[in-house]
Amino acid sequence: MKQKLIILISTLSLFALLFSCNVSEPREIVTNNKFKMQIPKFMRSQKNLNEEASMVYASGLRELYVMVLDEPAEQIEQVISENDLDGLIDTDLDGFSQLIGSNEGEYFLTPTDLDKLKNASINGLKARIFDNTRKINGINVYYKVALIEGKNTYYQVIAWTLAGREIKNGALIDNIINSFEEL
């Protein structure tokens, strides 16, 4: 009986070790031949989280989510022109950041967050990154937003988790965002 218990515990320990090593291992996801990212294997594609997103992956069990929205540069230029914002908002990453931040309630980035954006580079692309914790739909959420200027496209990479899981999921969020690569 004692020997069976030792074998059972050893087997369960080995299984737990193997399972924990593989679940965070990333896999490469290519989206619309536009960009690719390294997404942990435990996250699954989601279609119903945001219809406008090019890519959405989630793990409800770990409360970890990532989505990418992309806008053609000419569409951003058109929005600026149609709204008589020429000369007020540039047609570059700073201008894109201002447009995204001006739509409070529609995006994770709000006008008060614009001053907190940090300049960065993600795989050779100009980026602006911001993270915050706030209540969204009554739930405390930690999120990180990367606004990225591609060749002919602007991207929003948004990753989030419950505020209480920021420490546990923070490194994964950073790895996911920093894996973004335009094709």
Side-chain angles (χ1 to χ4, degrees):
M1 177 78 167
K2 192 174 185 181
Q3 187 177 15
K4 286 182 182 180
L5 184 59
I6 291 172
I7 292 172
L8 178 63
I9 290 172
S10 298
T11 304
L12 289 174
S13 297
L14 181 61
F15 178 73
L17 178 64
L18 290 173
F19 181 71
S20 67
C21 290
N22 290 333
V23 292
S24 293
E25 209 175 283
R27 67 183 181 282
E28 185 173 274
I29 304 296
V30 176
T31 303
N32 302 329
N33 289 322
K34 286 180 155 183
F35 63 89
K36 64 182 179 179
M37 296 179 73
Q38 299 293 320
I39 304 295
K41 287 182 179 179
F42 64 81
M43 297 180 80
R44 300 287 174 244
S45 178
Q46 302 289 313
K47 302 291 183 211
N48 59 348
L49 205 55
N50 186 316
E51 292 178 9
E52 295 178 13
S54 304
M55 183 199 85
V56 180
Y57 274 76
S59 170
L61 184 62
R62 293 201 182 192
E63 294 291 347
L64 180 61
Y65 307 87
V66 63
M67 75 174 164
V68 179
L69 301 158
D70 63 83
E71 299 287 344
E74 68 238 8
Q75 189 172 353
I76 300 303
E77 293 167 7
Q78 185 178 359
V79 167
I80 290 170
S81 179
E82 287 176 356
N83 290 287
D84 296 322
L85 298 171
D86 296 307
L88 298 174
I89 295 181
D90 294 327
T91 56
D92 60 6
L93 185 58
D94 290 333
F96 178 64
S97 302
Q98 286 179 297
L99 283 176
I100 297 303
S102 68
N103 291 307
E104 188 158 7
E106 286 187 47
Y107 302 100
F108 282 83
L109 187 68
T110 66
T112 58
D113 298 330
L114 289 173
D115 293 338
K116 300 172 190 168
L117 285 167
K118 295 177 185 153
N119 291 325
S121 177
I122 298 176
N123 288 311
L125 298 173
K126 287 178 18 179
R128 305 207 54 210
I129 298 177
F130 168 76
D131 68 331
N132 197 8
T133 301
R134 82 161 140 243
K135 198 170 270 199
I136 298 176
N137 297 327
I139 300 169
N140 284 328
V141 175
Y142 167 77
Y143 60 94
K144 185 171 264 192
V145 178
L147 304 176
I148 303 169
E149 182 175 10
K151 294 174 200 143
N152 298 306
T153 306
Y154 290 99
Y155 302 93
Q156 296 176 69
V157 180
I158 306 162
W160 68 98
T161 189
L162 293 176
R165 295 192 181 200
E166 172 186 351
I167 293 171
K168 184 176 183 176
N169 290 330
L172 280 172
I173 287 173
D174 288 342
N175 290 341
I176 292 167
I177 289 174
N178 289 323
S179 75
F180 181 90
E181 191 174 334
E182 188 176 50
L183 300 176

